């Protein structure tokens, strides 16, 4: 199995257009790497590829990734797109994929309903783009030789569908993780996750690769930096650090490689020279970056 991180950071990207935080300023100045929004590409045979989450940056991500370049006049190695929630950073790129290209679009029924309710996605010609609804816990072929299984993780509805009351611990079809298997290897991609209950750490245990939600370092980092009013947990993201985050909660859960992805531009992990970056590396994690390729 080959996995390429197309975009390692969270909604907004690095730098984010309207953000003057330290990391965004450093990225503009070239002191740290600019990075694009949350997406990975996966293949079992190296020839046919699936993209998990279609970010608003997908055009640039595909241009930067030779494995996804066209192989003929109107021939793409892309066989399918899977989306793990309805968030803008995971679905807006579908609009870029409208150029009369055949592929399968996989999602749970709840996420397919969100897409179906938005007429702009009719730009994906239904004669070419087949929307495939998949049930939780039912394995399906995502690309040649590559099996995927969706599983519920704690999360919430997309920001643009939030009502007055928001349940940030929803466990159902609105926020899912994906288990990818090929050649006896097992990878888990969980770009958004609000909590780590025991049933989820049980599932994570033994994975050859874990790509996990690294949105914020500290629950209140956006508030403290004057970037917003919400905590990470309110946004549906368990923080990484500060003692009770995923770093601590996953410390005793055995896995192969473990990589933080969906890293928000406010997170000190965006800067490889930060103390927090050194701390996660010392704990056996890698910090995702655009173009990182992992072979299992
Ligand atoms: C998130 O991951 O929390 C969302 O991408 C936020 C957003 O939609 O801007
Ligand atoms: Mn996001
Ligand atoms: Zn910023």
């Amino acid at each position: 199995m080959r996995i390429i991180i197309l975009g390692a950071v969270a909604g907004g990207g690095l730098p984010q257009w309207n953000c003057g935080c330290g990391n965004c300023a450093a990225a503009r100045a070239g002191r740290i790497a600019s990075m694009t929004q949350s997406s990975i590409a996966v293949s079992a045979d190296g020839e046919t590829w699936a993209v998990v989450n279609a970010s608003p940056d997908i055009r640039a991500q595909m241009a930067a990734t030779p494995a996804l370049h066209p192989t003929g006049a109107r021939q793409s190695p892309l066989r399918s797109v899977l989306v793990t929630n309805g968030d803008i950073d995971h679905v807006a790129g579908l609009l870029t994929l409208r150029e009369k290209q055949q592929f399968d679009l996989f999602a749970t029924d709840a996420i397919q309903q969100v897409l179906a309710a938005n007429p702009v996605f009719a730009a994906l010609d239904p004669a070419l783009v087949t929307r495939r609804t998949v049930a939780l816990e039912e394995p399906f072929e995502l690309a040649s030789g590559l099996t995927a299984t969706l599983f519920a993780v704690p999360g919430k509805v997309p920001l643009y569908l939030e009502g007055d009351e928001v349940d940030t611990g929803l466990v159902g079809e609105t926020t899912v993780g994906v288990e990818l298997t090929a050649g006896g290897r097992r990878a888990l991609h969980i770009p958004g996750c609000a909590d780590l209950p025991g049933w989820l750490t049980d599932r994570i245990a033994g994975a050859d690769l874990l790509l996990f939600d690294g949105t914020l370092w500290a629950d209140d980092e956006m508030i403290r930096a004057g970037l917003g009013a919400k905590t990470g947990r309110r946004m549906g993201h368990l923080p990484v650090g500060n003692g009770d985050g995923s770093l601590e909660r996953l410390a005793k859960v055995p896995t192969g490689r473990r990589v933080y992805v969906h890293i928000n531009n406010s997170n000190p992990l965006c800067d490889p020279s930060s103390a927090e970056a050194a701390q996660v590396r010392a704990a056996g994690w890698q910090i995702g970056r655009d173009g990182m390729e992992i072979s299992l």
Side-chain angles (χ1 to χ4, degrees):
M1 188 179 346
R2 280 173 69 193
I3 294 181
I4 301 172
I5 298 180
L6 300 179
V9 300
L14 173 68
Q16 176 176 314
W17 73 279
N18 65 341
C19 190
C21 79
N23 284 334
C24 287
R28 281 187 198 97
R31 289 194 299 276
I32 62 174
S34 292
M35 285 193 278
T36 63
Q37 295 165 81
S38 179
S39 179
I40 65 169
V42 198
S43 178
D45 62 6
E47 285 176 11
T48 60
W49 287 80
V51 163
V52 183
N53 292 320
S55 100
D57 300 315
I58 195 164
R59 181 181 161 280
Q61 292 169 338
M62 290 187 128
T65 308
L68 298 177
H69 289 177
T71 51
R74 271 293 189 278
Q75 254 176 332
S76 166
L78 183 74
R79 287 294 170 276
S80 61
V81 176
L82 162 67
V83 297
T84 62
N85 62 23
D87 284 356
I88 288 170
D89 56 346
H90 288 165
V91 304
L94 291 171
L95 299 176
T96 296
L97 301 179
R98 70 190 177 283
E99 321 281 4
K100 296 282 178 205
Q101 180 66 45
Q102 184 168 9
F103 63 90
D104 286 340
L105 173 54
F106 291 99
T108 64
D109 184 47
I111 299 169
Q112 292 287 14
Q113 283 185 38
V114 171
L115 298 176
N118 190 330
V120 74
F121 291 111
L124 296 171
D125 184 346
L128 295 169
V129 177
T130 308
R131 299 191 190 195
R132 299 194 184 276
T133 297
V134 282
L136 298 175
E137 305 297 348
E138 262 181 31
F140 60 98
E141 187 173 67
L142 182 60
S144 182
L146 178 67
T147 300
T149 309
L150 303 184
F151 54 96
V153 302
K156 65 169 185 63
V157 297
L159 179 59
Y160 55 87
L161 293 178
E162 286 185 4
D164 293 337
E165 301 280 309
V166 180
D167 181 355
T168 57
L170 270 182
V171 178
E173 290 192 346
T174 50
T175 305
V176 301
V178 56
E179 186 165 70
L180 301 159
T181 57
R185 312 292 278 174
R186 186 167 75 97
L188 296 181
H189 182 44
I190 310 176
C193 187
D195 199 6
L196 275 167
W199 52 261
L200 185 51
T201 55
D202 286 350
R203 178 165 215 142
I204 289 170
D208 298 295
L209 170 68
L210 171 65
L211 303 174
F212 194 78
D213 183 348
T215 307
L216 299 188
W217 173 262
D219 201 35
D220 62 351
E221 92 191 14
M222 295 196 61
I223 301 168
R224 278 193 289 109
L227 302 173
K230 286 183 195 163
T231 63
R233 286 185 169 85
R234 170 60 185 78
M235 294 189 293
H237 299 289
L238 180 69
V240 173
N242 267 12
D244 63 345
S246 56
L247 195 62
E248 177 75 21
R249 308 266 290 274
L250 291 170
K252 293 197 172 62
V253 181
T255 64
R257 280 173 83 164
R258 42 178 83 196
V259 183
Y260 278 117
V261 293
H262 194 279
I263 302 163
N264 196 54
N265 56 60
S266 58
N267 189 327
L269 297 184
C270 291
D271 180 351
S273 69
S274 68
E276 292 84 352
Q279 186 183 337
V280 305
R281 286 194 299 263
W285 286 81
Q286 288 176 286
I287 300 164
R289 53 176 171 72
D290 289 15
M292 183 186 271
E293 179 161 349
I294 297 163
S295 292
L296 295 177

